[in-house]
Amino acid sequence: MRTGAKVGLGVGAAVVVVGAAAAIWGPGLYADRANEAAAEAPALEQSVAPLPDGDAAAGTWTIGEGSFAGYRVEEVLQGNDVTVTGRTEDVTGSVTVADGAISAATVEVDIASVATDEAPRDAYFRDQAMEAGTFPTATFELTEPAPIEEGATAVELTGELTIHGETRPATVEAEVAGDATSGEPVQVVGSVPITFADFDVQAPDLGFVTVEDDGSIEFSLQLEK
């Protein structure tokens, strides 16, 4: 996904527990431990074949079990690069395919349920960085039809991304695949680069650890009829 949007999906949270953890483990060991805990980027399942064409997937699809969304951010801890990922399966919405294209799509993510491997980090992300009590969800809504090319997996989704009460235009470079005629789910995966300031989210800088000003939102959706 490409977007001028700056989304702090979870970034601020990442630094809350870093100081104590780094003191216990040492910066290098903490970085190794954190990087091992980071989830891999979403990808199409190897067993899933490309859609035969857009017409084969015609109809309205609902986001089902096995879907997830979250964030990926980078920290620098005393010269050590650290990757942090947060995930939630509390994702809802629907996708409509008509006339060989994705004609409508709405995806909603429950911010309070996004979690990493560190509960204090998650609490900071939820309560301070994202203010989930005031802004409980993040959403993406398609604003232009997205043609599905026969035999291809790539699809460009143009829409609006709303996070922390701020809405920005976003273009998502996604992949879609699945046997739409078999009753099995169709999978859609992708990620969108974000800059925190665009969504009025401050990337923390505590001196001993800094969080990059940019991150990404990642998702994998299982669509069911």
Side-chain angles (χ1 to χ4, degrees), residues 8-23 30 34 71 73-78 80 82-85 116-126 128-129 196 201-213:
L9 256 186
V11 176
V15 299
V16 175
V17 296
V18 170
Y30 170 79
Y71 67 85
V73 297
E74 302 296 329
E75 298 174 350
V76 179
L77 172 64
Q78 297 181 8
N80 294 276
V82 179
T83 298
V84 175
T85 58
T116 67
D117 61 324
E118 295 282 359
R121 175 194 290 135
D122 299 339
Y124 184 95
F125 165 75
R126 178 182 64 247
Q128 298 185 50
F196 306 131
V201 174
Q202 182 69 40
D205 184 346
L206 301 186
F208 60 88
V209 59
T210 60
V211 175
E212 299 295 333
D213 294 331

Side-chain angles (χ1 to χ4, degrees), residues 74-147:
E74 302 296 329
E75 298 174 350
V76 179
L77 172 64
Q78 297 181 8
N80 294 276
D81 294 330
V82 179
T83 298
V84 175
T85 58
R87 294 282 187 270
T88 178
E89 294 184 358
D90 197 341
V91 184
T92 57
S94 63
V95 174
T96 300
V97 179
D99 300 323
I102 298 175
S103 58
T106 300
V107 180
E108 184 172 288
V109 180
D110 177 66
I111 292 298
S113 63
V114 176
T116 67
D117 61 324
E118 295 282 359
R121 175 194 290 135
D122 299 339
Y124 184 95
F125 165 75
R126 178 182 64 247
D127 299 329
Q128 298 185 50
M130 300 303 295
E131 298 180 282
T134 303
F135 310 107
T137 60
T139 62
F140 174 81
E141 185 168 355
L142 191 74
T143 56
E144 298 180 14

